[in-house]
Structures are given as C-alpha cells and as structure tokens.
Amino acid sequence: MRRLLNAVYESAAALAALCMCGMLCMVLLSILSRQLHFHVPGTDAYAGYLMAGAGFLALAHTLKRGEHIRVTLVLGMFKGQSRRGLEIFSLVLASLLALLFAFYSCRLVWQSVEFHDISTGNDATPLWIPQLVMAFGTVIFALAFVDELVLEIFGQRVSTESGEMLRNE
C-alpha cells in the first residue's frame, strides 16, 4: 500500500511538472505571437489553468516531503504524549479541512458539467476541464493528509523532535 500511495504522490508531482512545462509553452507562444503579429486565442487563459493545475497537483507531494510551512511555535512547547496528541489533533483537523476542500472541488466540477459552464474568455473552454485537475489535486491532497494521520496514529510518521524538517538552504 505504501508503494501505491507514494506512486500516486509522485505521479501527481510529475503531472504538476508537466503543467509547468505547458504553462511555459503557453507564455512563450503568447510572446512569440505578439512579436510575429499573429493571435492565438486563449493562451493567457490556458496558462492560468495550467498554473492552477500545477499548484493543486503539487500539494500532496509537497506535504509528504515536509515542505509545507508549519507554525511550530505552540507545538514546540509540548513534549511526549501531549505533543503527540496535539499532532494528532492538528492532523485530524487538517484532514477534515482537506476532505471538505476535495468534496467542494468535486462538487464544483459536477455543477460545471450540469450547467455547461464555459469560460468568459475568447477561448470558451468548458470550465469542468481545468476544474477537474483542481479536484484531482485536492483529492490527492486529502488522501495525503489522511495518510499522515494514520502514520502518526501508528507511530510511523517521520519528523524531527523540534517538528521542523532540517533544510540545507
């Protein structure tokens, strides 16, 4: 199961990287089209969709690598079981919020399909397409938080004593 979850997180990160490459292509196409005096409709909108996709798809991978910003001022005041209890409480709360985020993202996609919602730009893209990437990213993010919660409950979560990941930056 661990290998499957890690593969899901890595795949989402790879898709986020592809979105970044696609965004670069859209920006370069937009610049090139202005310099050569031709118009490609929707490049700005597609760059925005790809930027949002990259952000949402990278959430879970970033969480699992310990790269999310954590405020550990309060957490650092506790030791032992009280610290572990606070960690579990925090992860339960974060998991619930991430699950709500995922639910409402999926609901937004469904509503966009039902209402045949399209973008207001000149590209007229059906909005469920970029929203689907957002929903996919939030579902994986919620899965990653639940994964962290389960690992913490079973005492298998890796973290430093201070709660901060060590960085060499």
Side-chain angles (χ1 to χ4, degrees), residues 54-71:
F56 283 104
L57 289 170
L59 285 172
H61 185 261
T62 307
L63 174 71
K64 295 303 286 185
R65 291 186 50 117
E67 298 291 335
H68 279 260
I69 296 172
R70 289 179 43 146
V71 179

PDB file of all heavy atoms in Angstrom, residues 54-71:
ATOM      1  N   ALA A  54      -0.884  23.054 -11.805  1.00  0.00           N
ATOM      2  CA  ALA A  54       0.424  22.754 -11.215  1.00  0.00           C
ATOM      3  C   ALA A  54       0.385  22.931  -9.706  1.00  0.00           C
ATOM      4  O   ALA A  54       0.916  22.105  -8.958  1.00  0.00           O
ATOM      5  CB  ALA A  54       1.500  23.650 -11.827  1.00  0.00           C
ATOM      6  N   GLY A  55      -0.249  23.991  -9.253  1.00  0.00           N
ATOM      7  CA  GLY A  55      -0.331  24.241  -7.811  1.00  0.00           C
ATOM      8  C   GLY A  55      -1.110  23.166  -7.077  1.00  0.00           C
ATOM      9  O   GLY A  55      -0.658  22.647  -6.051  1.00  0.00           O
ATOM     10  N   PHE A  56      -2.263  22.809  -7.600  1.00  0.00           N
ATOM     11  CA  PHE A  56      -3.097  21.823  -6.919  1.00  0.00           C
ATOM     12  C   PHE A  56      -2.509  20.419  -6.987  1.00  0.00           C
ATOM     13  O   PHE A  56      -2.601  19.665  -6.026  1.00  0.00           O
ATOM     14  CB  PHE A  56      -4.523  21.841  -7.474  1.00  0.00           C
ATOM     15  CG  PHE A  56      -5.338  22.988  -6.968  1.00  0.00           C
ATOM     16  CD1 PHE A  56      -5.601  24.080  -7.774  1.00  0.00           C
ATOM     17  CD2 PHE A  56      -5.831  22.992  -5.676  1.00  0.00           C
ATOM     18  CE1 PHE A  56      -6.336  25.145  -7.312  1.00  0.00           C
ATOM     19  CE2 PHE A  56      -6.570  24.049  -5.197  1.00  0.00           C
ATOM     20  CZ  PHE A  56      -6.828  25.134  -6.017  1.00  0.00           C
ATOM     21  N   LEU A  57      -1.928  20.071  -8.117  1.00  0.00           N
ATOM     22  CA  LEU A  57      -1.348  18.731  -8.238  1.00  0.00           C
ATOM     23  C   LEU A  57      -0.100  18.554  -7.383  1.00  0.00           C
ATOM     24  O   LEU A  57       0.237  17.439  -7.006  1.00  0.00           O
ATOM     25  CB  LEU A  57      -1.026  18.426  -9.703  1.00  0.00           C
ATOM     26  CG  LEU A  57      -2.239  18.193 -10.605  1.00  0.00           C
ATOM     27  CD1 LEU A  57      -1.817  18.146 -12.065  1.00  0.00           C
ATOM     28  CD2 LEU A  57      -2.976  16.928 -10.216  1.00  0.00           C
ATOM     29  N   ALA A  58       0.577  19.636  -7.064  1.00  0.00           N
ATOM     30  CA  ALA A  58       1.800  19.541  -6.270  1.00  0.00           C
ATOM     31  C   ALA A  58       1.543  19.551  -4.765  1.00  0.00           C
ATOM     32  O   ALA A  58       2.465  19.305  -3.985  1.00  0.00           O
ATOM     33  CB  ALA A  58       2.734  20.692  -6.635  1.00  0.00           C
ATOM     34  N   LEU A  59       0.318  19.808  -4.330  1.00  0.00           N
ATOM     35  CA  LEU A  59       0.033  19.931  -2.895  1.00  0.00           C
ATOM     36  C   LEU A  59       0.404  18.684  -2.102  1.00  0.00           C
ATOM     37  O   LEU A  59       1.062  18.765  -1.064  1.00  0.00           O
ATOM     38  CB  LEU A  59      -1.445  20.259  -2.675  1.00  0.00           C
ATOM     39  CG  LEU A  59      -1.876  21.687  -2.973  1.00  0.00           C
ATOM     40  CD1 LEU A  59      -3.394  21.801  -2.895  1.00  0.00           C
ATOM     41  CD2 LEU A  59      -1.212  22.662  -2.032  1.00  0.00           C
ATOM     42  N   ALA A  60      -0.023  17.523  -2.555  1.00  0.00           N
ATOM     43  CA  ALA A  60       0.210  16.286  -1.798  1.00  0.00           C
ATOM     44  C   ALA A  60       1.700  15.949  -1.729  1.00  0.00           C
ATOM     45  O   ALA A  60       2.205  15.587  -0.665  1.00  0.00           O
ATOM     46  CB  ALA A  60      -0.556  15.127  -2.424  1.00  0.00           C
ATOM     47  N   HIS A  61       2.382  16.064  -2.836  1.00  0.00           N
ATOM     48  CA  HIS A  61       3.810  15.760  -2.864  1.00  0.00           C
ATOM     49  C   HIS A  61       4.580  16.700  -1.940  1.00  0.00           C
ATOM     50  O   HIS A  61       5.487  16.274  -1.215  1.00  0.00           O
ATOM     51  CB  HIS A  61       4.323  15.871  -4.300  1.00  0.00           C
ATOM     52  CG  HIS A  61       5.747  15.469  -4.459  1.00  0.00           C
ATOM     53  ND1 HIS A  61       6.765  16.383  -4.513  1.00  0.00           N
ATOM     54  CD2 HIS A  61       6.325  14.247  -4.567  1.00  0.00           C
ATOM     55  CE1 HIS A  61       7.918  15.741  -4.649  1.00  0.00           C
ATOM     56  NE2 HIS A  61       7.674  14.451  -4.689  1.00  0.00           N
ATOM     57  N   THR A  62       4.193  17.961  -1.948  1.00  0.00           N
ATOM     58  CA  THR A  62       4.834  18.943  -1.077  1.00  0.00           C
ATOM     59  C   THR A  62       4.590  18.612   0.391  1.00  0.00           C
ATOM     60  O   THR A  62       5.504  18.701   1.220  1.00  0.00           O
ATOM     61  CB  THR A  62       4.307  20.355  -1.401  1.00  0.00           C
ATOM     62  OG1 THR A  62       4.454  20.589  -2.800  1.00  0.00           O
ATOM     63  CG2 THR A  62       5.048  21.411  -0.637  1.00  0.00           C
ATOM     64  N   LEU A  63       3.380  18.195   0.723  1.00  0.00           N
ATOM     65  CA  LEU A  63       3.058  17.812   2.094  1.00  0.00           C
ATOM     66  C   LEU A  63       3.882  16.600   2.524  1.00  0.00           C
ATOM     67  O   LEU A  63       4.468  16.590   3.612  1.00  0.00           O
ATOM     68  CB  LEU A  63       1.569  17.490   2.235  1.00  0.00           C
ATOM     69  CG  LEU A  63       1.143  16.936   3.584  1.00  0.00           C
ATOM     70  CD1 LEU A  63       1.204  18.028   4.651  1.00  0.00           C
ATOM     71  CD2 LEU A  63      -0.242  16.338   3.516  1.00  0.00           C
ATOM     72  N   LYS A  64       3.949  15.603   1.687  1.00  0.00           N
ATOM     73  CA  LYS A  64       4.655  14.368   2.051  1.00  0.00           C
ATOM     74  C   LYS A  64       6.156  14.568   2.183  1.00  0.00           C
ATOM     75  O   LYS A  64       6.817  13.846   2.903  1.00  0.00           O
ATOM     76  CB  LYS A  64       4.364  13.265   1.022  1.00  0.00           C
ATOM     77  CG  LYS A  64       2.909  12.814   0.993  1.00  0.00           C
ATOM     78  CD  LYS A  64       2.429  12.335   2.338  1.00  0.00           C
ATOM     79  CE  LYS A  64       2.987  10.990   2.669  1.00  0.00           C
ATOM     80  NZ  LYS A  64       2.467  10.434   3.917  1.00  0.00           N
ATOM     81  N   ARG A  65       6.703  15.567   1.513  1.00  0.00           N
ATOM     82  CA  ARG A  65       8.133  15.854   1.634  1.00  0.00           C
ATOM     83  C   ARG A  65       8.425  16.830   2.772  1.00  0.00           C
ATOM     84  O   ARG A  65       9.580  17.183   2.983  1.00  0.00           O
ATOM     85  CB  ARG A  65       8.671  16.412   0.327  1.00  0.00           C
ATOM     86  CG  ARG A  65       8.688  15.345  -0.754  1.00  0.00           C
ATOM     87  CD  ARG A  65       9.356  15.842  -1.987  1.00  0.00           C
ATOM     88  NE  ARG A  65      10.646  16.437  -1.670  1.00  0.00           N
ATOM     89  CZ  ARG A  65      11.805  15.983  -2.093  1.00  0.00           C
ATOM     90  NH1 ARG A  65      11.831  14.910  -2.837  1.00  0.00           N
ATOM     91  NH2 ARG A  65      12.934  16.595  -1.798  1.00  0.00           N
ATOM     92  N   GLY A  66       7.390  17.266   3.483  1.00  0.00           N
ATOM     93  CA  GLY A  66       7.596  18.165   4.613  1.00  0.00           C
ATOM     94  C   GLY A  66       7.924  19.587   4.205  1.00  0.00           C
ATOM     95  O   GLY A  66       8.544  20.317   4.973  1.00  0.00           O
ATOM     96  N   GLU A  67       7.489  19.990   3.027  1.00  0.00           N
ATOM     97  CA  GLU A  67       7.822  21.314   2.514  1.00  0.00           C
ATOM     98  C   GLU A  67       6.745  22.357   2.785  1.00  0.00           C
ATOM     99  O   GLU A  67       6.954  23.525   2.488  1.00  0.00           O
ATOM    100  CB  GLU A  67       8.091  21.243   1.005  1.00  0.00           C
ATOM    101  CG  GLU A  67       9.265  20.368   0.644  1.00  0.00           C
ATOM    102  CD  GLU A  67      10.602  20.939   1.085  1.00  0.00           C
ATOM    103  OE1 GLU A  67      10.712  22.173   1.241  1.00  0.00           O
ATOM    104  OE2 GLU A  67      11.534  20.144   1.292  1.00  0.00           O
ATOM    105  N   HIS A  68       5.591  21.949   3.309  1.00  0.00           N
ATOM    106  CA  HIS A  68       4.564  22.930   3.655  1.00  0.00           C
ATOM    107  C   HIS A  68       5.033  23.725   4.860  1.00  0.00           C
ATOM    108  O   HIS A  68       5.700  23.204   5.759  1.00  0.00           O
ATOM    109  CB  HIS A  68       3.221  22.254   3.972  1.00  0.00           C
ATOM    110  CG  HIS A  68       2.434  21.903   2.757  1.00  0.00           C
ATOM    111  ND1 HIS A  68       1.402  22.660   2.290  1.00  0.00           N
ATOM    112  CD2 HIS A  68       2.552  20.874   1.889  1.00  0.00           C
ATOM    113  CE1 HIS A  68       0.902  22.123   1.201  1.00  0.00           C
ATOM    114  NE2 HIS A  68       1.587  21.031   0.933  1.00  0.00           N
ATOM    115  N   ILE A  69       4.661  24.971   4.907  1.00  0.00           N
ATOM    116  CA  ILE A  69       5.027  25.819   6.042  1.00  0.00           C
ATOM    117  C   ILE A  69       4.183  25.409   7.237  1.00  0.00           C
ATOM    118  O   ILE A  69       2.961  25.303   7.150  1.00  0.00           O
ATOM    119  CB  ILE A  69       4.794  27.300   5.709  1.00  0.00           C
ATOM    120  CG1 ILE A  69       5.719  27.721   4.584  1.00  0.00           C
ATOM    121  CG2 ILE A  69       5.007  28.169   6.936  1.00  0.00           C
ATOM    122  CD1 ILE A  69       5.456  29.097   4.046  1.00  0.00           C
ATOM    123  N   ARG A  70       4.864  25.168   8.363  1.00  0.00           N
ATOM    124  CA  ARG A  70       4.173  24.805   9.604  1.00  0.00           C
ATOM    125  C   ARG A  70       4.551  25.809  10.671  1.00  0.00           C
ATOM    126  O   ARG A  70       5.710  26.175  10.788  1.00  0.00           O
ATOM    127  CB  ARG A  70       4.592  23.418  10.074  1.00  0.00           C
ATOM    128  CG  ARG A  70       4.070  22.315   9.217  1.00  0.00           C
ATOM    129  CD  ARG A  70       4.544  20.988   9.731  1.00  0.00           C
ATOM    130  NE  ARG A  70       4.445  20.917  11.178  1.00  0.00           N
ATOM    131  CZ  ARG A  70       4.167  19.832  11.858  1.00  0.00           C
ATOM    132  NH1 ARG A  70       3.994  18.718  11.215  1.00  0.00           N
ATOM    133  NH2 ARG A  70       4.107  19.833  13.163  1.00  0.00           N
ATOM    134  N   VAL A  71       3.582  26.218  11.440  1.00  0.00           N
ATOM    135  CA  VAL A  71       3.857  27.092  12.571  1.00  0.00           C
ATOM    136  C   VAL A  71       4.020  26.191  13.788  1.00  0.00           C
ATOM    137  O   VAL A  71       3.067  25.606  14.281  1.00  0.00           O
ATOM    138  CB  VAL A  71       2.724  28.111  12.783  1.00  0.00           C
ATOM    139  CG1 VAL A  71       3.020  28.997  13.966  1.00  0.00           C
ATOM    140  CG2 VAL A  71       2.503  28.925  11.525  1.00  0.00           C
TER     141      VAL A  71
END
